[in-house]
Amino acid sequence: LSLCAWLVVKELPKRMHRMDVKFIRSCSFLISRFRPGSEKFSIFLLARNAILAIAPVLPSTEAGCLLIFAVLGTNLCLAAMFQPWLSPLATYLDVLTNFGFLVIILNGAFFLER
C-alpha cells in the first residue's frame, strides 16, 4: 500500500513530466481506470479494501459494522463528489452499489445480538 502510494503521489508526476512511457505503462494497473488528475483515488481504494478486510477481525461485531459503514459511506461521498472514474456510468454504478451495500449493512445491524 505504501509503495503504491509513493508511486502515485511522488513518482508519477515526475515521470509523466519526463514522459517516461515505460513507467506509466508499468503503473497502469493503478491509474488506467481513473480520469486524469484523479489517480490518487486508487490509493484510497487500496486503503478501503485493506480496512474492509480488517473489519471482521475487530473484537465486537458492532465495531466491525460501524467501521464498514463509515468506510463505505466515505467512499460513497468521495465518489459522488470527485467522480474519479473515466466513464460517468462507472461513477453512477459505483455510487449505486455503495449505497446498496450501505442499506444492506444498516439492515443487518438491526439484527445484531447483544
Side-chain angles (χ1 to χ4, degrees), residues 78-96:
L78 290 176
M81 281 187 349
F82 296 117
Q83 300 179 358
W85 301 104
L86 272 175
S87 165
L89 182 62
T91 301
Y92 299 142
L93 188 63
D94 186 31
V95 169
L96 184 66

Side-chain angles (χ1 to χ4, degrees), residues 43-95:
I43 303 305
F44 171 73
L45 288 180
L46 289 172
R48 179 202 69 178
N49 292 340
I51 293 170
L52 289 178
I54 291 172
V57 181
L58 293 176
S60 70
T61 309
E62 293 87 3
C65 284
L66 181 64
L67 180 65
I68 291 171
F69 195 81
V71 169
L72 289 178
T74 303
N75 187 23
L76 177 104
C77 292
L78 290 176
M81 281 187 349
F82 296 117
Q83 300 179 358
W85 301 104
L86 272 175
S87 165
L89 182 62
T91 301
Y92 299 142
L93 188 63
D94 186 31
V95 169

Side-chain angles (χ1 to χ4, degrees), residues 61-62 65 102-114:
T61 309
E62 293 87 3
C65 284
L102 286 172
V103 168
I104 290 169
I105 293 293
L106 184 63
N107 285 330
F110 287 119
F111 294 104
L112 290 177
E113 293 185 18
R114 294 192 174 206

Side-chain angles (χ1 to χ4, degrees), residues 19 30 34-35 41 45 53 56 61 75 78 97 105 108:
M19 291 189 229
L30 285 171
F34 302 105
R35 289 183 303 114
F41 198 74
L45 288 180
T61 309
N75 187 23
L78 290 176
T97 54
I105 293 293

